[in-house]
Amino acid sequence: MCPEGGGPTIKVAPSMLAADFSRFGEQAAEAAAGGADYLHLDVMDGHFVPNLTFGPPVIKALRRWTKVPFDVHVMCEEPQLLVPELAAAGADIITVHAEACAHLHRIVHQIKEAGVKAGVALNPGTPVSAVEEVLPHLDLVLVMSVNPGFGGQAFIESAVDKLRRVRRMLDEGGLKAELEVDGGIGPKTAARVAEAGASVLVAGSAVFTADVPVAQAIARIRAIAR
Ligand code: DX5
Ligand code: ZN
């Protein structure tokens, strides 16, 4: 429990997708100093999603700037090919999409055997049952509240009920996996997703392109979610 607010502790994970890529390291350090619990790193391949970002070499370079855990969100086909390099680059959590994995059980164990926490993400159109069988093995479930690929999209309302359903599955199973939500999270949506059971809030534009400095933007989201 949180000593100040009395509510459960909510983690804030700034998404570096919305950072200034020409100052990537500085922005990571800024988010870390501003109280980020994780840094959310969106790896996109231009196939699974229609956008390209960065991969292991950039993540490895960023590792020199901060010790904050790296929460790596892999939006790629064949994510199993990237796991060894992402682990070596310094990923602390690797989250793969259920929709991209024919052998979800195998890749979850591959991630864990690489010494990294394992997460599974669900697109807005994917039912929660897609994650059910591997749930006991997971460290994190990511409910997407936008269709992945781009920052700054509008929050999809049905994510709130989906979060509730995943929260219920976790609690009824006595499972401790974190429940993360990603897409359109900011001051207007933070309270609702936290109330629905999310424990990690990813926020890109609401942190890096807000009307206030990064630290203040993170603090504002945390305060609203509490
Ligand atoms: C979208 C990415 C998100 C993105 C969120 O595909 O997975 O992490 O950065 O951006 P905002 O918070 O701006 O919706
Ligand atoms: Zn993401």
Side-chain angles (χ1 to χ4, degrees):
M1 299 295 272
C2 169
E4 305 120 71
T9 304
I10 302 284
K11 290 179 178 157
V12 179
S15 170
M16 293 299 295
L17 185 63
D20 177 350
F21 277 22
S22 72
R23 298 176 49 245
F24 212 43
E26 287 94 332
Q27 292 252 273
E30 210 178 321
D37 295 286
Y38 297 150
L39 284 185
H40 185 83
L41 301 173
D42 291 297
V43 177
M44 303 185 187
D45 67 351
H47 292 275
F48 180 70
V49 290
N51 196 5
L52 262 177
T53 54
F54 48 81
V58 171
I59 292 174
K60 188 176 173 195
L62 201 61
R63 194 66 287 183
R64 292 200 298 271
W65 287 82
T66 172
K67 292 192 177 1
V68 169
F70 281 179
D71 168 33
V72 181
H73 177 192
V74 184
M75 285 158 276
C76 303
E77 287 174 4
E78 309 238 46
Q80 72 279 2
L81 302 177
L82 279 169
V83 168
E85 278 186 86
L86 288 171
D92 296 278
I93 306 166
I94 295 177
T95 298
V96 294
H97 269 263
E99 306 83 8
C101 299
H103 302 284
L104 190 57
H105 185 276
R106 180 182 289 157
I107 192 167
V108 165
H109 287 281
Q110 181 197 7
I111 295 168
K112 292 171 80 150
E113 278 158 25
V116 178
K117 290 184 174 174
V120 172
L122 300 172
N123 278 336
T126 303
V128 298
S129 59
V131 80
E132 197 173 351
E133 295 302 324
V134 294
L135 211 52
H137 309 291
L138 296 185
D139 299 293
L140 183 145
V141 180
L142 169 52
V143 170
M144 290 304 300
S145 40
V146 295
N147 285 294
F150 302 94
Q153 301 183 80
F155 179 80
I156 295 173
E157 290 296 332
S158 58
V160 174
D161 183 61
K162 194 171 188 178
L163 284 166
R164 269 190 230 292
R165 284 179 278 135
V166 178
R167 169 53 62 203
R168 197 178 313 132
M169 283 163 73
L170 290 171
D171 290 350
E172 286 176 2
L175 302 171
K176 298 278 175 249
E178 297 195 279
L179 179 51
E180 183 174 65
V181 61
D182 180 10
I185 302 301
K188 292 200 176 87
T189 48
R192 269 181 295 153
V193 295
E195 189 271 329
S199 58
V200 184
L201 272 52
V202 176
S205 30
V207 167
F208 289 105
T209 59
D211 52 356
V212 294
V214 165
Q216 219 175 310
I218 294 170
R220 181 165 68 181
I221 293 166
R222 203 193 306 282
I224 291 169
R226 188 170 280 153

